[in-house]
Amino acid sequence: MGHHWYFGCFLKFSLLSIFFLPLKSLRFDRYGFFCVPPFLLYIYTSCFFFKFSIPSSIMNPIEINPEQDKVCDADQKIIPNGGVRAGQDGDVEVGKSSENKEDSDSTEVNKTPDSDVAKEADHQINCNGHNKYIPTSKAQVHLPKPEPPKPKMERSQSLSIAESMPSIGKYIRDRSSSFSAAIRNRLSSVKEGSGDFVLKNDSLNFEVTEFKIPGVKVIVKLKSEEERLEDQIRGRITLFTKSNCEHSIAARQFFKAKGLRYVEINIDVFTKSGHELMERTGSCEVPQIFFNDSLIGGLATLKSLSESGELHEKMKELLGPKCPEEAPKAPVYGINDEEDKEDGLVGVVRFLRQSLPIQDRLIKMKMVKSCFAGPDMVEAIINHLDCGRRKGIATAKVMAQNHFIHHVFGENDFENGNHYYRFLEHEPFIMGCFNFRSSTNDNEPKPASFMADRLSKLMFSIVEMDGYVSDDRLHVDYFRISKSEEFRRYINLTRDLQRINLQLFTPNERLAFFLNLYNAMVIHAVISIGHPEGILDNKAFFLDFQYVIGGYPHSLSIIENSILRNNRKSPYSLTKPFSKGDRRLHLVPMKVNPLIHFGLCKGTRSSPKLRFFTAHNVEDELISAAKDYFQSDGIKIDRELRTVYLTRIIKWFSQDFGGQEKEILEWVLNYLEGRNAKLLKTMLGDRDPITIVYQDYDWSGNL
């Protein structure tokens, strides 16, 4: 009895304390989850731990299935000795327990003098298959009749905490539901103008609304008009553009400012899309905007719709449905649009590669590798084409002009006589060229003007593409460029440079081509070998990184100092890049244009902005580049100290700017504007000495 009484008191006290706890004791934590106070959890767990730790014999002393062991009250009789007599189905009597065993823990069934009843008790006769003997302490007549307990639930030993404490979960669910209902009622009752309602950024069309409730702070961020419009757009905006086109750049910036997604198709990059644009609009003018398959027009139409307020309605109407199949096709990446044609001499070249005796020979006291004799090649051509010697020699000369073969010492293109030649793929420099892939390009060489135009358009598309280059062109994301379709197509274009005829360039085409190629090679070099970090890295970057162009190797140093600077010595060098008799001397210009130094981006922080040029306007673009460079920290003037601070680029190439300090300053004055121009002009007019200080050059990458 002691265990039962204490446990009952403890359980009642726990339940009363739970249900009379104030509501504020239940709360949400900082992450928004419903929390129960620690002392409450202690009560729960203590209560149930105590309950389940008590032996079942104490907790449930009586185990009867009430459904199967019902005894009709009408059939029960109270016998004189205090027992209970079951009905006629089984004359079972329960009497007083033995006086000698009153203090024992177990109870005993009393036997009556009736021999039949005693016999039934000894054999424990069952009624309906169940035992009818009820163990009990002394049953008194004046006490109410005992009621059978509720059936005991069978449980497995692997009970979860949630199953062992169902009342806790039910209580938490009830409390959380009531608390959530209170929040909803509070929010619905909030009215504008009350002390608990605060509006922020009202000018931004209620973009952020803040509700303040005692104990709760709810901040609701409403979608902007552009975001709501974006949710209603299921179709596609298609923008046709070109490289280096001001209207295309403006259209791109318009959609970017509005936060609208679009698919851009640059017809200079995806050339086949230009034919599609011609079929849909009847011209190749850009930009052209399509909402799904409906043509909207150009930049003027787009601005007109925006100013009149009709743009959003037009977008809802035309872009609400999903993009149909009739809409312009999105560009396909990884596929080349241009169809290459094999050179007409490829068949002969392939035959010669297999039939000529190619071997190492000692020629003019030099060991020459992988070469063959000219007469052997002529005989092989005559036999293969079944022609005369004159045609055989003419065919060999065309092969040399197209850079299939070279003289081992560069003495001639091809001459009939005892000379030795080798194929382009066997040249010693070929394996170090980054536009060579295991074999030479045997396609028909493309015109030089086409290659120059194609190169500039691809590079313009890279610098104009959002995210590749910063708006001020001072920072470049080389990693994103390396993953772009434009750069992949540029790499394919470089293979066509292997056998290009550079002699067909006009002076302006040659200047623009090599300026653009230099800047493009710098991007390729940074992606392939990284930024230079020291003297040894500078050598690998500017001397060892090469392309095979027109049959011969060209490094960054060769392009800058030989082709752009009239074959002048590079800084700290004792010899000229091209020696006498070099087959590339025909590329050297007649005079040096100092402006080239402001058009070459070396991939460093102190180098000029990343730019690309057009052949028809290259001079004006170089002048603009020089003015822009001096405008942005390229020069500093201290009038009191009569000192001019210039970029170290001018010191390295001082010969190109006149050599003498006064000549250098007079040249610089031509490209200054504003205050710096006035100061330098005044200082030069005083005829007093002026000191030039060259600023340190920052070789870190322009990332």
Side-chain angles (χ1 to χ4, degrees), residues 88-138:
Q88 297 177 358
D89 294 339
D91 296 334
V92 180
E93 296 179 355
V94 180
K96 297 181 180 179
S97 61
S98 176
E99 295 181 359
N100 297 330
K101 299 181 180 179
E102 284 182 357
D103 298 333
S104 62
D105 293 337
S106 62
T107 59
E108 183 180 352
V109 179
N110 294 332
K111 299 181 181 180
T112 62
D114 193 344
S115 60
D116 294 337
V117 175
K119 184 177 180 180
E120 291 176 0
D122 292 337
H123 292 85
Q124 297 183 359
I125 299 175
N126 295 334
C127 178
N128 297 329
H130 294 276
N131 189 0
K132 290 297 181 179
Y133 292 101
I134 305 174
T136 181
S137 59
K138 293 181 180 181

Side-chain angles (χ1 to χ4, degrees), residues 174-299:
D174 294 343
R175 289 298 184 183
S176 62
S177 299
S178 62
F179 193 66
S180 300
I183 293 177
R184 289 195 298 270
N185 295 335
R186 183 63 175 172
L187 287 176
S188 61
S189 63
V190 173
K191 295 182 179 180
E192 184 176 356
S194 64
D196 295 335
F197 186 71
V198 180
L199 291 178
K200 289 188 175 182
N201 295 336
D202 189 26
S203 61
L204 299 179
N205 194 18
F206 299 99
E207 186 175 352
V208 177
T209 306
E210 180 177 328
F211 301 91
K212 288 186 178 179
I213 303 175
V216 179
K217 184 177 181 181
V218 180
I219 298 177
V220 181
K221 183 177 181 181
L222 304 178
K223 290 185 177 181
S224 63
E225 185 177 359
E226 286 77 10
E227 290 175 335
R228 292 195 297 270
L229 177 63
E230 189 75 14
D231 293 339
Q232 301 175 5
I233 294 178
R234 300 181 183 86
R236 183 176 69 221
I237 301 175
T238 306
L239 173 63
F240 284 90
T241 63
K242 286 183 177 180
S243 299
N244 197 29
C245 172
E246 294 182 359
H247 295 297
S248 296
I249 296 174
R252 189 185 299 116
Q253 292 176 347
F254 176 88
F255 286 118
K256 183 180 178 182
K258 293 288 185 181
L260 298 173
R261 292 173 296 179
Y262 62 93
V263 174
E264 180 177 355
I265 304 177
N266 189 327
I267 62 176
D268 288 335
V269 177
F270 305 96
T271 54
K272 285 187 176 180
S273 298
H275 303 296
E276 180 183 3
L277 180 62
M278 175 66 74
E279 294 176 358
R280 290 180 178 271
T281 63
S283 68
C284 287
E285 293 184 1
V286 292
Q288 293 293 339
I289 300 100
F290 284 80
F291 289 172
N292 280 349
D293 56 340
S294 301
L295 175 63
I296 299 301
L299 180 62

Side-chain angles (χ1 to χ4, degrees), residues 611-658:
R611 298 174 182 268
F612 295 96
F613 303 89
T614 58
H616 65 279
N617 203 26
V618 61
E619 288 290 342
D620 293 338
E621 291 168 353
L622 283 174
I623 292 173
S624 176
K627 290 181 178 180
D628 185 46
Y629 186 81
F630 287 120
Q631 189 75 16
S632 56
D633 299 332
I635 184 174
K636 294 180 180 179
I637 301 176
D638 190 332
R639 183 175 181 179
E640 295 181 359
L641 299 178
R642 298 190 62 81
T643 302
V644 178
Y645 300 89
L646 294 176
T647 174
R648 193 165 290 271
I649 295 175
I650 294 180
K651 179 182 180 181
W652 291 336
F653 304 99
S654 59
Q655 184 181 359
D656 300 347
F657 297 96

Side-chain angles (χ1 to χ4, degrees), residues 11 404 422 627:
L11 182 59
F404 281 112
R422 57 186 160 205
K627 290 181 178 180

Side-chain angles (χ1 to χ4, degrees), residues 473-476 478 531 601 603-605 607 610 700-703:
R473 305 285 181 91
L474 291 175
H475 305 283
V476 182
Y478 294 96
H531 282 96
C601 178
T604 61
R605 292 185 181 273
S607 60
L610 178 62
S700 56
N702 58 342
L703 301 175

Side-chain angles (χ1 to χ4, degrees), residues 36-82:
V36 180
F39 73 89
L40 192 57
L41 287 177
Y42 175 77
I43 294 175
Y44 295 155
T45 54
S46 300
C47 174
F48 284 92
F49 178 81
F50 181 78
K51 177 180 178 181
F52 287 106
S53 63
I54 297 176
S56 60
S57 62
I58 298 176
M59 292 298 298
N60 297 303
I62 301 175
E63 300 180 7
I64 294 180
N65 191 333
E67 296 296 328
Q68 297 179 353
D69 300 334
K70 292 181 180 178
V71 180
C72 181
D73 293 338
D75 295 337
Q76 294 182 354
K77 297 180 181 180
I78 301 175
I79 59 178
N81 57 1

Side-chain angles (χ1 to χ4, degrees), residues 658-676:
Q660 302 298 324
E661 290 188 350
K662 183 179 180 181
E663 294 176 349
I664 292 175
L665 293 177
E666 289 176 349
W667 185 93
V668 169
L669 180 61
N670 296 325
Y671 303 98
L672 296 182
E673 295 177 347
R675 178 176 177 275
N676 286 335

